[in-house]
Amino acid sequence: MRGVTPDGGLFVPAMFPMVEMSEISALHNKSYAERTADILKMYLEDFSSEEIAEIASSAYESGRFDDPSVAPLRKLDRSTWVMELFHGPTAAFKDVALQILPYLLRLAAKKNAEAGELTVLMATTGDTGKAAMEGFRDLQGTRCAVFYPRKGIGEVQRLQLETSEGSNIHAIAVDASFDEIQNHVRELLTSDTFSSKLAGKGCVLTSANSINFGRIAAQIVYYFSAYADLIASGEIVAGEQVNFVVPTGNFGNILAAYYAGNMGIPIHRLICASNRNKVLTDFFSSGIYSVHRTFFTTKSPSMDILFSSNLERLLYEAADRDGALVSAWMGQLKECGSFSVGEQRKEWLDGTFCSGCADDRETLKEIKDRFEQDHYLMDPHTAVASSVLRRYRQETSDDTPSIVVATASPYKFSEDVLFSIAGADAIKDRDAFGCASELERISGMKFPEQLRRLQELPVRQKAVCEINGMMDTVLEAL
Ligand SMILES: *Cc1c(COP(=O)(O)O)cnc(C)c1O
């Protein structure tokens, strides 16, 4: 239930449970919910197998995903697959973890005999907050409130937030920038006045942000799932190594791949893909993490990040689980904006990780090339990964079967995707939905219902406030 440890660090598994290759192969006969239960029960020892199975079924088998396999694989070419993680209610990968996390939190609260309603508070630029609201929507005993900047978020994102359904969820527009809102949410989360007022309303605060271990645990599952599917379809033999290429921001998704490797998935390389904000590319190539750089806004906004919070968990393994050393690095990052892990640790990282980046021009070109060569539509985040894989192969001649992790539906970024495959004329005079219809016509790939519906849904979330009114507004909503 706690995001961070009392001394400000992150929780990590005390040890990594090993899964035998025969058990991995056997996953192929199981549903995604069953695969989830098999993996999660190795970590969540306070929960019974029955409890975990029931939770996994609620999350993945109640029709919230528009593909029953939740994380289907598509073959692009002889040695490349795409793992589609965007079949959930918000059409992006955070759904996979945020559909199950609320159930896990609720059960944890019950076991801890927490008295009040579990309450999550978040600042969002759209994507994560919406995924959290969908996860908590109408889940008894929980509440979820998200704040977002009134100006400066995308049209689709704004519609997704404003049309949110569920009696226990609240989206509040704030007249301030995302950073101001984020800072104020952090203040509220540690404010005694606020928590006692919340307690008066029967609410207890918890966190669902990307450093919550429950999200990482849920993300480990799909790496097992993909590997089992490749064995089952005869594309690889059990035990054969694969690469995963992951479009990376906060380092949560790729960290889960690394954990899956520690548990028995045979991984040759984990390829960390960044956009123009290439702080991680530079880290993996030099061993130096430095935020002394310009921040760019790009076509892959969910990767526009300079502080990758989950990297700390990998650093802990790189440091041979020497917490004091990680603390020292984190202290240097806070004070001086950079730290170096040294030659020996860098070599250790090189054993599994490599990295690359793609700017917007390369990203849009990759969308076009993949569409023309493989008739596959990619969103800009996925295209960053695909572009990095292409260059990696040219430079290394590594022919290992590779899985590109697809983190968002191309229809979430319909204007950029249509522009890249059909040019400037195609997007002229079209809004996001017009572009989506045109994309559907050209590609023959279905515009997901959960995005199409946004045009028709009524606006339900109307609360607006100033930065200083956030506490009162949320208390009133809750
Ligand atoms: C959050 C997000 C990412 C980055 O994932 P991390 O786990 O933060 O590295 C990539 N693509 C999309 C579409 C996302 O929403």
Side-chain angles (χ1 to χ4, degrees), residues 91-94 127-128 210 215-216 219 222 246-255 273 280 300-305 308-310 379-382 405-409 412-413:
F93 98 98
K94 295 195 177 65
D127 291 335
T128 311
S210 90
R215 279 178 64 178
I216 305 286
Q219 290 173 182
Y222 45 72
V246 189
T248 304
N250 252 328
F251 210 77
N253 204 355
I254 192 167
L255 179 85
L280 287 168
S300 43
S302 299
M303 298 156 69
D304 290 344
I305 284 169
S308 286
S309 43
N310 279 298
D379 100 288
H381 301 79
T382 311
V405 178
T407 51
S409 162
K412 252 194 134 160
F413 301 90

Side-chain angles (χ1 to χ4, degrees), residues 430-445:
R430 287 197 166 105
D431 66 1
F433 295 100
C435 289
S437 303
E438 181 62 8
L439 261 188
E440 189 172 39
R441 193 186 65 77
I442 297 177
S443 69
M445 291 172 202

Side-chain angles (χ1 to χ4, degrees), residues 12-13 16 258-259 262 313-321 348:
V12 293
F16 293 99
Y258 171 72
Y259 282 2
N262 284 357
R313 287 186 161 114
L314 178 67
L315 293 173
Y316 184 62
E317 308 302 332
D320 227 355
R321 304 207 139 205
W348 181 88

